[in-house]
Amino acid sequence: VETRWRHTNGQTLDVLLNSTPLDASDLSAGLTFTALDITERKQAEEALRSSAEIVRFIPSGLFVYHYEPPDQLVLLDGNPAAEYLTRIDIDACRGKNFHDIWPTARKSGILRSFLGVMETGRIYESDDLVYQDGRLDAVFRTRAFPMPGNRLGVAFENITEQKKTEEERRQLEEQLRQAHKMEAVGTMAGGIAHEFNNILGIILGNTELALEDVPEKKSVKYSLEEVHKASLRGRDVVRQILSFARKTPATRKPVMIRTVVQESLKLIRATIPTSIKIRQNIQCQEEMVLANPTEINQILINLCTNAAHAVEDR
């Protein structure tokens, strides 16, 4: 009989009480009683039950396998979280070999890793164990460890969403690096455009002076006029580059949309292959819109660049 006694010091003890008759045929002859203090054993049993309850309700999955050399891992048990995370029926799989439950594990090498745990006693840890067998497609963080009695414990949690988040963050960081790179290119282009603008100013000024000194009927006058026209076109292109590269808030103002589109197309013409023609059919004439010219410029460049990529092989 298990009972509880109070010690003289006030402590309550768990006691295993056993009685034995002195004469089995005559109980009146008397009994012998033995009392064994089982307090520590009861505490250990309670701790074990508590541990079992904790394992049962923790969100991480846990499988326990029995190792049968040389290469058999037989499922003994698992907690509800393991059943939920892996979509398997533990009762139906109990007693089955690991490779029968997870057919793809042989190809992935995870079974060899688990067997290595049993052979070496070393703990196996992985952050990228992928299960793909028709029931689920997920990434698990896994930890396999040897247990007493030739058993293997495998604890794991689903980190598929975490992996996706990490990949999204990596892509965002790459986009940010690309944006910083483009910002640096824009700053450099702005500096080059400023320098080129100064050079064009010198060319324009000297060309205009030369035109004033050359008589009308001289053939060189025509050549100087062509230089002047080309310099003006170059100045317009430089102005567009500076406007595009300038770090200013996207403020809107009344602009003539026809002029903005025409200026954008001049810049686009210089950035796409000459084998691709650009045909303009701008219907509006004096219409004004409230917009930011640089943003319209950027939209048109993106659209036309995509169109150029679509037709460049034809």
Side-chain angles (χ1 to χ4, degrees), residues 3-302:
T3 184
R4 308 197 80 184
W5 288 0
R6 184 176 298 279
H7 197 278
T8 53
N9 63 9
Q11 180 184 1
T12 301
L13 304 178
D14 290 289
V15 177
L16 178 63
L17 188 64
N18 184 58
S19 63
T20 304
L22 295 175
D23 184 351
S25 61
D26 183 11
L27 295 181
S28 63
L31 300 171
T32 300
F33 286 93
T34 58
L36 178 65
D37 183 355
I38 59 170
T39 305
E40 290 185 2
R41 192 185 81 182
K42 295 291 287 184
Q43 289 174 347
E45 289 175 354
E46 181 60 30
L48 186 62
R49 276 194 298 271
S50 299
S51 299
E53 286 300 304
I54 292 172
V55 169
R56 178 175 176 79
F57 292 106
I58 59 174
S60 297
L62 177 65
F63 284 126
V64 178
Y65 295 93
H66 176 68
Y67 175 52
E68 296 180 0
D71 61 354
Q72 300 293 312
L73 285 176
V74 179
L75 181 64
L76 295 179
D77 205 356
N79 67 351
E83 195 168 45
Y84 172 76
L85 291 172
T86 60
R87 309 292 194 268
I88 72 167
D89 185 339
I90 292 179
D91 289 335
C93 293
R94 192 176 281 112
K96 289 186 178 181
N97 289 323
F98 181 89
H99 56 77
D100 292 329
I101 302 171
W102 308 106
T104 59
R106 285 185 183 275
K107 297 178 183 178
S108 69
I110 187 64
L111 178 59
R112 287 193 300 273
S113 299
F114 286 172
L115 293 174
V117 171
M118 297 307 300
E119 291 168 2
T120 64
R122 296 177 180 173
I123 292 174
Y124 167 85
E125 292 182 288
S126 173
D127 264 7
D128 56 359
L129 176 59
V130 180
Y131 278 131
Q132 287 179 307
D133 66 350
R135 283 190 299 268
L136 78 162
D137 181 357
V139 182
F140 290 102
R141 175 175 292 131
T142 307
R143 191 171 189 267
F145 48 91
M147 298 174 65
N150 228 26
R151 293 180 298 167
L152 174 74
V154 180
F156 57 94
E157 55 182 323
N158 192 328
I159 59 170
T160 307
E161 291 302 319
Q162 178 182 327
K163 285 287 186 179
K164 288 180 181 178
T165 302
E166 289 174 357
E167 178 61 22
E168 290 172 358
R169 183 177 62 193
R170 187 194 64 78
Q171 292 178 359
L172 288 174
E173 289 173 350
E174 180 61 30
Q175 291 174 8
L176 184 60
R177 281 193 294 270
Q178 187 66 20
H180 287 163
K181 186 191 300 182
M182 294 307 297
E183 184 179 0
V185 169
T187 302
M188 184 174 63
I192 294 172
H194 271 297
E195 186 64 27
F196 192 56
N197 203 34
N198 294 335
I199 296 170
L200 283 174
I202 296 170
I203 294 173
L204 276 169
N206 284 281
T207 303
E208 290 169 354
L209 290 173
L211 281 169
E212 291 178 1
D213 295 337
V214 175
E216 286 293 335
K217 295 184 179 180
K218 291 287 184 177
S219 60
V220 71
K221 189 175 183 67
Y222 173 77
S223 298
L224 288 171
E225 287 175 344
E226 290 300 310
V227 172
H228 189 260
K229 289 179 183 177
S231 298
L232 289 174
R233 285 200 301 272
R235 187 181 64 182
D236 291 339
V237 171
V238 170
R239 188 181 295 121
Q240 284 181 281
I241 293 174
L242 288 172
S243 175
F244 193 70
R246 192 177 295 123
K247 294 180 181 178
T248 55
T251 55
R252 295 183 176 89
K253 60 182 180 180
V255 294
M256 192 176 294
I257 188 64
R258 178 187 182 92
T259 304
V260 175
V261 173
Q262 287 176 330
E263 289 178 354
S264 298
L265 290 177
K266 288 179 185 177
L267 191 58
I268 291 166
R269 175 68 278 173
T271 61
I272 65 175
T274 55
S275 59
I276 297 175
K277 295 180 181 178
I278 298 178
R279 296 195 185 99
Q280 299 182 36
N281 182 17
I282 303 175
Q283 305 267 336
C284 55
Q285 298 299 325
E286 305 296 328
E287 286 81 353
M288 304 288 288
V289 296
L290 188 66
N292 180 276
T294 303
E295 290 182 342
I296 295 177
N297 196 322
Q298 185 175 353
I299 291 168
L300 288 172
I301 288 175
N302 290 340

